[in-house]
Structures are given as C-alpha cells and as structure tokens.
Amino acid sequence: MNPAQYFIAINPVGLTGAAATRYVRDVREHLTWIHRTVSGRILLNCIRRPSFPIEIRPHPTAECNAVGGAEQKAAGAAWTGVVTYTPFAFSAHGSCALLPAGQTFGRLWDEILFHELVHVFRNATGRWNTAPALSFGMRQYDDNEEFIAVLCSNIYVSDRSNRIKSGLRAGHADFSAMAPADAARFGLFMSSKAAFGLVKQFCSDNPIFTKALSDKLADVEYNPIADYYRYPKLCETLSVIGDLKDRARMIDALVAMRIPRAVAAQLIMGIP
Ligand SMILES: [Zn+2]
C-alpha cells in the first residue's frame, strides 16, 4: 500500500535517524493492515481526495491517546487532515499498557488508526458535528463523533477480512468490552433512544461510505448500519425499548446516589 496514493503523508515530526525511519515504517505497516480489509479500503477510498491531504505524525505527548481531525497549517490556509498517532503508546510497554486489565478492546494499532481516520473522514466530507445529543444509555460514547468513530471501528473489528483484532468496544470513555446485549443484532437500537436517529443522520450525511459498509459487510457479526438500511422501521420501533432502557438506567443511577428506588422511579417514569 502506498500512502501517497491516498494523499496520506507520514511525517516523523520530532524524530531523527533510526527512530524516524522506524516511525514511518510502523505507521505504513498499520495503514497496510487497514488497506487489506474490506472496511479499511472503503474508508481509505472515501477519504481519498487531492484537496484534503492527510498528515500522520507522532502524538505530542506519551499519553495513551491519539487524535484525528482537521487543521490549518497557517492562518487562512486550506483545511487539511491530521492524525497524531504514536504506535509505541499502544504497544506492550507503552502508556496504554498501564490501563487496568480488560481495557484492551479497540486498542490494537490499526484499530486506533482506523478510529482516527474516521474522524478525518467526517472532517474531509464537511460533516463533523458534535452537537447532536446522546441519550442516557449512550453516554459512554461521549459525543456524536466519537459514537460514529467507535461504531465504524466496531464494524472494522467485525469485518472477516480483518484477521487480527481485539473485540467490540463498549464506547469512547474507555477500552472495555461491549456488553453482550449491546453486541447482539439490533442491540444498539434497543440500548438507547437516540441511537436510531444518530445512525440515520450519519447515513444521510455520508451515504456512499455507509451504503458501502452496509452492502459489502451485510453478514458480519456487528453491523448496525446494515441493519438500519435493511430494516429502518424495525430499528426505529426498537428505539422505544431503548427509551425504556435509558429510563431504567437513570433510575439505577439515582439509586446509586442513595435515592430510594420508588422515589427514583416516580421521578423518571412519572409513576405516582
Ligand atoms: Zn475519537
């Protein structure tokens, strides 16, 4: 895979000599892994545009994080794509290795890079929008854009052409595993009220990308986008169950704050 074909430049900012060479080699390899998969090629082909080149460079600190988005190299310059990603942070002795046991879902090198490239894609297509509200049962996704990036990365994890993978990630707040009920078919739509509307908006924002993920990966273990395109009415109806689950979780949260369950239920459900 030649990153330049996709207008991607790997820039080892701040590194010299062997470290710089290793950085370029490692990032190129992780891009190659993404490119070998069906979902990875869909993403790369949808990002690819000469007017929006992407720079991948080391993350500025050693924290367990990476960032994807858009930037202006100078005031007034055109917006371009950027990913700050340091493979070492996600390695066996990197900063992410200090996380508690079980915090490993969606954390492999290429899974991290795929997630950040989804953020770049949303910027490249002018669709980046963190404003839509999440419902209570989706708060682990932090915001709409993280929800979209985690959703797509989980489809990448489910993609059978992706041979080495961790597992489905529960949200954006950490790297824990998705609960079996949420991972089940239609589970996303039943997990929280806003999920249906947010998936619908994403599909309307980026129809070429989402239809490709739906058509080429219709039969994988986890693909709520394919379920949305095939059964939109069912997904919408199931969001009623999502609303009830949101309320049940709100009651649990109040009970955890030592509010009696009967009082909590009355507050949330309006039950006398
Ligand atoms: Zn993110």
Side-chain angles (χ1 to χ4, degrees):
M1 185 259 186
N2 178 9
Q5 246 186 323
Y6 294 89
F7 307 101
I8 294 173
I10 304 168
N11 188 357
V13 176
L15 301 173
T16 54
T21 306
R22 191 183 321 123
Y23 181 81
V24 173
R25 186 196 65 203
D26 288 351
V27 173
R28 198 179 170 120
E29 184 168 353
H30 303 155
L31 283 171
T32 301
W33 296 348
I34 291 172
H35 187 260
R36 278 193 198 126
T37 68
V38 171
S39 47
R41 283 195 300 279
I42 291 171
L43 177 61
L44 288 167
N45 285 325
C46 287
I47 288 182
R48 182 175 187 267
R49 58 198 72 211
S51 58
F52 199 82
I54 300 161
E55 180 180 270
I56 302 179
R57 58 176 186 251
H59 194 64
T61 67
E63 65 176 341
C64 175
N65 198 12
V67 168
E71 66 180 358
Q72 287 174 295
K73 292 273 188 200
W79 287 91
T80 56
V82 60
V83 172
T84 63
Y85 164 65
T86 301
F88 179 73
F90 303 93
S91 301
H93 302 289
S95 48
C96 298
L98 300 171
L99 292 175
Q103 294 287 311
T104 55
F105 293 80
R107 220 190 76 193
L108 293 181
W109 294 303
D110 54 316
E111 293 165 353
I112 294 290
L113 195 48
F114 186 98
H115 174 112
E116 302 310 338
L117 287 171
V118 173
H119 287 325
V120 173
F121 165 69
R122 292 279 292 169
N123 279 279
T125 53
R127 298 299 187 180
W128 178 268
N129 185 7
T130 56
L134 306 180
S135 37
F136 193 74
M138 295 182 75
R139 64 199 185 287
Q140 75 278 12
Y141 289 105
D142 291 341
D143 65 43
N144 178 51
E145 290 301 332
E146 295 302 347
F147 166 62
I148 288 170
V150 173
L151 170 66
C152 295
S153 302
N154 278 333
I155 295 170
Y156 174 70
V157 163
S158 291
D159 181 345
R160 278 191 287 272
S161 60
N162 177 5
R163 309 266 174 178
I164 300 171
K165 56 186 81 180
S166 56
L168 299 178
R169 182 181 176 187
H172 182 252
D174 60 21
F175 293 98
S176 57
M178 185 179 280
D182 293 347
R185 194 154 186 218
F186 300 110
L188 171 66
F189 301 103
M190 286 190 280
S191 71
S192 196
K193 189 185 180 191
F196 171 77
L198 296 177
V199 170
K200 183 181 180 182
Q201 184 62 49
F202 175 37
C203 291
S204 153
D205 286 349
N206 298 114
I208 296 171
F209 177 63
T210 52
K211 274 184 190 147
L213 285 182
S214 170
D215 292 346
K216 304 285 183 198
L217 297 159
D219 60 346
V220 299
E221 176 200 356
Y222 182 84
N223 191 346
I225 293 173
D227 292 332
Y228 166 75
Y229 273 116
R230 275 161 191 74
Y231 306 103
K233 279 283 160 214
L234 175 60
C235 295
E236 185 171 19
T237 304
L238 291 174
S239 65
V240 174
I241 298 174
D243 184 32
L244 290 173
K245 280 204 188 153
D246 286 330
R247 290 166 190 261
R249 284 179 177 162
M250 279 187 232
I251 292 169
D252 289 344
L254 290 175
V255 169
M257 294 161 70
R258 296 177 182 274
I259 292 171
R261 186 167 288 278
V263 176
Q266 189 175 351
L267 281 170
I268 302 300
M269 308 296 282
I271 297 168

